[in-house]
Amino acid sequence: MKRIGMLTSGGDCQALNATMRGVVKGLHSIFDEVEIYGFLDGYKGLMYGNYRKLKPSDFSGILTMGGTILGTSRQPFKMMGVPTEDGLDKVPAMKRTYKDLKLDCLVVLGGNGSQKTANLLREEGLNVIGLPKTIDNDIWGTDMTFGFQSAVDIATETLDCIHTTAASHGRVFVVEIMGHKVGHIALHAGIAGGADVILLPEIPYDIKNVFKAIEKRNKAGKKFTILAVAEGAISKEIAELPKKERKAKLLERTQPVAYEIADQIRAKFNNDVRVTVPGHTQRGGSPDAFDRVISSRFGAKAAQLIADKDFGKLVVLRNNVVDAIPMEESAGKLKYVSPDDAIVKEAKTLGICFGD
Ligand code: F6P
């Protein structure tokens, strides 16, 4: 009998259920007897021993379903040493639940912060397997996280819709795309959606360069311009400040960066500028076909790792091969867009302005 715990942690995304289904299908095809314990609302469920014992039928029909049947919550890694409001010591409590249920392994579907906690539990002696979840695609060590392509599809669809109305009215549109620290979604959706300007946290912009890009389009008789702006896009002016001042400056902000940029463009050109924010729609709905495939492959790999007792691993995709790396190799590192990435250079060749 194998006893496997599973939880989904942090911001949700489209292929969480598809990935859990993959793990469970894999486990049932490898082992004759498996018990699955699904912890509710992420690490909180593990802390408080809130779980559901799940049957194979609970995972049936969920391949296409967004969200997570287990629920999720954000439990910041940096707060793991701080007791809960009702005085529970988080890490010892999680270890206790694991031991009480006599689990053979805990499978964690989570992003960066959640994988840091998974690595901490590994260091504490638990058998853990990590699965790379996040729309942001910023987990170090994997080419792709599940959720990313579905989010890119939604952001692209928003840009597509904006295109037609921007063209009709001859307007400048600033579309704010998710990604506080990294700009993978804005970069990919920006290219897919034909944005003229893409602004990312990793490539600080000079607003004058954005103005130039708009002027160039105006002179060429193109009546509209579309900007794909990541939530964390930052101006050169602010990026160049010492860390403390930069943080203070960002805290002073009274509105999201997309609105700030729209105000600056409006002031310069005295024209019609609009902001569109697809927001959490980017995390909603069904996983796309790409995500269904990688999440199923990731699930199969996790089941195989459990069968091989090869614990302490994060499942990754590298050059289209599903593989696994030691959790500690990835924990605590972010995968950023680099201005030297081929995709950025290619986008620039296409004439897309990054404001740098
Ligand atoms: O990490 C996923 C993500 O959607 C980011 O892209 C975004 O900045 C953040 O979560 C939003 O967080 P919340 O759901 O807590 O508003």
Side-chain angles (χ1 to χ4, degrees):
M1 167 70 70
K2 287 286 161 195
R3 298 162 72 90
I4 309 299
M6 196 150 58
L7 61 85
T8 55
S9 170
D12 72 344
C13 72
Q14 291 87 345
L16 283 163
N17 288 327
T19 307
M20 288 194 277
R21 171 186 173 272
V23 176
V24 172
K25 272 189 172 286
L27 289 171
H28 279 288
S29 84
I30 295 172
F31 299 107
D32 290 334
E33 285 183 292
V34 190
E35 282 181 353
I36 307 287
Y37 295 83
F39 295 101
L40 307 182
D41 301 335
Y43 286 114
K44 211 196 257 180
L46 187 61
M47 287 170 201
Y48 287 96
N50 282 338
Y51 62 86
R52 274 173 61 204
K53 205 170 157 192
L54 298 157
K55 304 181 292 297
S57 59
D58 290 315
F59 296 91
S60 198
I62 63 169
L63 174 64
T64 59
M65 197 191 287
T68 159
I69 57 168
L70 296 181
T72 186
S73 65
R74 291 194 189 276
Q75 302 292 328
F77 173 75
K78 62 175 184 228
M79 300 299 282
M80 280 298 155
V82 179
T84 59
E85 274 178 11
D86 47 3
L88 191 73
D89 282 327
K90 294 171 186 165
V91 177
M94 290 193 281
K95 285 169 69 180
R96 210 161 39 240
T97 306
Y98 180 99
K99 295 259 149 67
D100 288 351
L101 289 173
K102 298 189 175 56
L103 296 180
D104 293 294
C105 180
L106 174 70
V107 178
V108 174
L109 287 74
N112 275 293
S114 307
Q115 295 303 340
K116 274 200 262 180
T117 300
N119 186 47
L120 173 69
L121 294 175
R122 177 196 66 80
E123 286 168 351
E124 292 285 324
L126 307 193
N127 295 331
V128 188
I129 299 288
L131 286 158
K133 166 239 71 165
T134 167
I135 64 164
D136 295 328
N137 197 25
D138 60 355
I139 296 185
W140 191 94
T142 185
D143 295 344
M144 201 58 76
T145 57
F146 60 86
F148 172 64
Q149 285 296 341
S150 305
V152 168
D153 287 354
I154 294 169
T156 302
E157 214 174 293
T158 302
L159 287 163
D160 289 349
C161 293
I162 289 305
H163 246 106
T164 55
T165 177
S168 313
H169 288 264
R171 282 173 169 161
V172 174
F173 264 87
V174 183
V175 181
E176 185 192 281
I177 293 175
M178 273 191 167
H180 265 299
K181 293 187 181 150
V182 299
H184 293 290
I185 310 177
L187 174 61
H188 284 253
I191 294 172
D196 310 295
V197 177
I198 298 178
L199 303 181
L200 309 177
E202 298 93 332
I203 307 180
Y205 65 87
D206 181 336
I207 195 70
K208 289 195 216 84
N209 293 331
V210 175
F211 294 161
K212 274 188 211 154
I214 298 172
E215 264 156 8
K216 197 170 161 197
R217 283 183 60 80
N218 290 347
K219 276 193 193 138
K222 296 170 181 167
K223 289 194 333 194
F224 68 95
T225 299
I226 295 180
L227 288 80
V229 175
E231 285 171 305
I234 186 166
S235 66
K236 281 190 181 179
E237 218 182 320
I238 297 182
E240 280 158 13
L241 292 172
K243 201 174 169 189
K244 223 171 153 186
E245 283 173 51
R246 185 171 70 231
K247 274 193 165 175
K249 197 89 183 159
L250 290 173
L251 281 175
E252 273 170 27
R253 243 185 203 158
T254 54
Q255 55 180 356
V257 66
Y259 289 88
E260 235 175 52
I261 291 169
D263 283 350
Q264 288 171 306
I265 297 172
R266 202 174 287 117
K268 166 83 181 168
F269 294 101
N270 199 20
N271 66 351
D272 242 2
V273 184
R274 294 286 188 275
V275 176
T276 293
V277 184
H280 287 77
T281 63
Q282 290 163 98
R283 296 216 310 243
S286 297
D288 69 3
F290 182 92
D291 271 336
R292 291 179 205 179
V293 174
I294 55 158
S295 57
S296 302
R297 292 178 70 193
F298 284 167
K301 180 71 179 181
Q304 196 56 56
L305 290 169
I306 293 170
D308 297 342
K309 296 190 168 61
D310 192 0
F311 303 118
K313 294 285 168 68
L314 173 72
V315 177
V316 295
L317 184 77
R318 285 176 164 179
N319 300 320
N320 209 26
V321 175
V322 175
D323 205 345
I325 59 171
M327 294 187 115
E328 63 271 30
E329 246 179 53
S330 168
K333 292 185 222 157
L334 278 185
K335 183 181 74 187
Y336 292 102
V337 173
S338 161
D340 296 325
D341 284 348
I343 186 170
V344 174
K345 292 183 177 161
E346 287 148 7
K348 285 185 175 174
T349 304
L350 296 174
I352 298 173
C353 164
F354 283 77
D356 56 341

